[in-house]
Amino acid sequence: MERPLVAVGGVILKGNKVLLVKRRNPPNKGNWAIPGGKVEYGETLVDAVKREMKEETALDVEPIELLAVVEIIKEGYHYVIFDFICKVLNGELNPGSDATSADFLGLDELRRENVSPTTIEMLERYFNGEKTPLFIVEKSVTQTSK
């Protein structure tokens, strides 16, 4: 991969819980994560969130607020992810082809499950009242110069 890929995530809250999916594919295969995926060429961030949430959760959503920009550099991947808080418009929760399961988890459950530290940090800050969009970097590989 020569350049970072742009991706989106949809954060759906239910009280003090957040909707997560268990990832079927790398990066973070087998871990719980915010549902989302890559932005396609010519697609807006908002349209990408709507499409990805439908594909991964079967829910129709409306992104209402930018929560965070998360940069992940690991496992041969480099993503810049825009995570949006979303409102559910309709649909029944059902994990899609990129997820093995989907569920609402509270912060205590997140800390006991395989959830990336950046996801936990982002949600802790949000639930603690920090509403300004966050910028978080998760890097576990060293870059070689070209």
Side-chain angles (χ1 to χ4, degrees), residues 95-144:
S97 62
D98 290 343
T100 59
S101 57
D103 202 1
F104 284 90
L105 302 174
L107 284 176
D108 289 340
E109 294 168 292
L110 297 180
R111 292 183 192 103
R112 292 190 302 266
E113 296 291 339
N114 288 329
V115 177
S116 77
T118 55
T119 298
I120 293 172
E121 178 186 356
M122 175 180 70
L123 294 169
E124 282 177 338
R125 291 169 84 176
Y126 181 80
F127 284 126
N128 287 332
E130 295 181 41
K131 307 297 188 204
T132 303
L134 309 171
F135 182 72
I136 302 170
V137 176
E138 178 181 332
K139 184 174 180 180
S140 64
V141 296
T142 56
Q143 296 294 100
T144 57

Side-chain angles (χ1 to χ4, degrees), residues 10-20 34-35 53 59 61 64-65 67 84-88 103-107 110 122-124 126-127 131:
V11 178
I12 297 174
L13 304 170
K14 185 193 278 185
N16 61 351
K17 294 186 174 194
V18 63
L19 176 63
L20 297 180
I34 301 295
M53 293 302 286
L59 299 172
V61 303
I64 57 173
E65 176 183 0
L67 174 61
F84 290 88
I85 294 180
C86 295
K87 175 176 72 171
V88 175
D103 202 1
F104 284 90
L105 302 174
L107 284 176
L110 297 180
M122 175 180 70
L123 294 169
E124 282 177 338
Y126 181 80
F127 284 126
K131 307 297 188 204

Side-chain angles (χ1 to χ4, degrees), residues 12-72:
I12 297 174
L13 304 170
K14 185 193 278 185
N16 61 351
K17 294 186 174 194
V18 63
L19 176 63
L20 297 180
V21 295
K22 190 170 271 192
R23 295 189 52 84
R24 184 180 304 275
N25 304 307
N28 296 319
K29 179 180 178 179
N31 293 348
W32 289 97
I34 301 295
K38 293 178 272 207
V39 177
E40 296 177 356
Y41 180 80
E43 186 176 45
T44 68
L45 295 175
V46 167
D47 287 342
V49 172
K50 291 177 180 182
R51 177 184 51 76
E52 284 289 343
M53 293 302 286
K54 184 71 169 182
E55 289 175 4
E56 291 200 9
T57 67
L59 299 172
D60 292 312
V61 303
E62 182 67 36
I64 57 173
E65 176 183 0
L66 179 63
L67 174 61
V69 177
V70 180
E71 187 170 17
I72 299 176

